[in-house]
Structure formats: structure tokens, C-alpha cells
Amino acid sequence: MGCDDDGHVTGLTNTRKLLEDIPNKIRNAMSIVVDVNRLVCGGKEYIEIVVPPYPVAISCKGVYYYRSGSTMQTLSGPELESFILCKRRASWNNMPHTSMVPGAEQPSLIAAALSYPQWTAS
């Protein structure tokens, strides 16, 4: 904060208050902890906000966003599920199937599978 789009320091006048407010606002909105540093360049104060990478998806007030280039995308539905799986380094293939309950299998399906020529004893 206190820099223009080209990275030139424009300065801030209320850095002391911002150093107290910014970490609290981020923690309250996103439940994460960030470092907020006051820096000086050419006699002008500016603020650096350091956000560490997190291994899980972080929401802002219950909404998940994804930055793509210069735009922000709101994630919901299948896109959100895929994003969360990707952050966990998981895939649909290794997720448990909730409708498969041990003991609830169809006996005829099990018999058919066991009689499949590739699985019979030689």
C-alpha cells in the first residue's frame, strides 16, 4: 500500500493506524495471519503485506475467489470442489464413494465379478 501500479512509492500518511488495523481486518475476514511491515523509500512511508502460501483454500467472508490474470473469479459448485481437491493434491479417483457401504453390495454382482475369467484360479 502506498505504491502506484508501476511500483513507484506514493506514500501514506496514516501508517501507524494501518499497521494495527490491517492484520486484524484480514484475520477477521479470512482467518489467516499475515505480516504487515512499514517501509520507507525516499522519505515516503508505505506498507508491505506478506501473505504466506497456505496448503488449503482460504475464503474471504465465506466466498472463495481465484485470481486469473487481472480478473478475480468467484468459485462455486464444481469449480470450487475441483480447486479444493487440487489444493489437497487429491483427485476424484482417490475419493471415497459415499454410496458404497460395506455389506450392501448386490450378491449377484459379486458372483458375476468373481466368475470373470481373468480373476478365476488357473
Side-chain angles (χ1 to χ4, degrees), residues 1 22-23 26 34-37 39 47-52:
M1 296 179 67
I22 292 172
I26 291 173
V34 298
D35 291 327
V36 180
N37 305 312
L39 303 171
I47 289 180
E48 170 190 54
I49 302 172
V50 180
V51 182

Side-chain angles (χ1 to χ4, degrees), residues 3 5 9 14-16 22 28 37 41 43 50 55 106 120:
C3 297
D5 290 341
V9 177
N14 55 348
T15 55
R16 186 175 304 268
I22 292 172
N28 292 340
N37 305 312
C41 180
V50 180
Q106 296 282 338
T120 57

Side-chain angles (χ1 to χ4, degrees), residues 76-116:
S76 63
E79 294 92 9
L80 177 57
E81 290 175 9
S82 294
F83 180 74
I84 290 172
L85 282 174
C86 181
K87 290 294 277 184
R88 292 182 179 171
R89 295 183 184 192
S91 70
W92 287 111
N93 295 334
N94 61 7
M95 297 300 292
H97 196 289
T98 57
S99 67
M100 294 298 291
V101 178
E105 299 87 4
Q106 296 282 338
S108 60
L109 290 176
I110 294 172
L114 291 175
S115 67
Y116 192 72

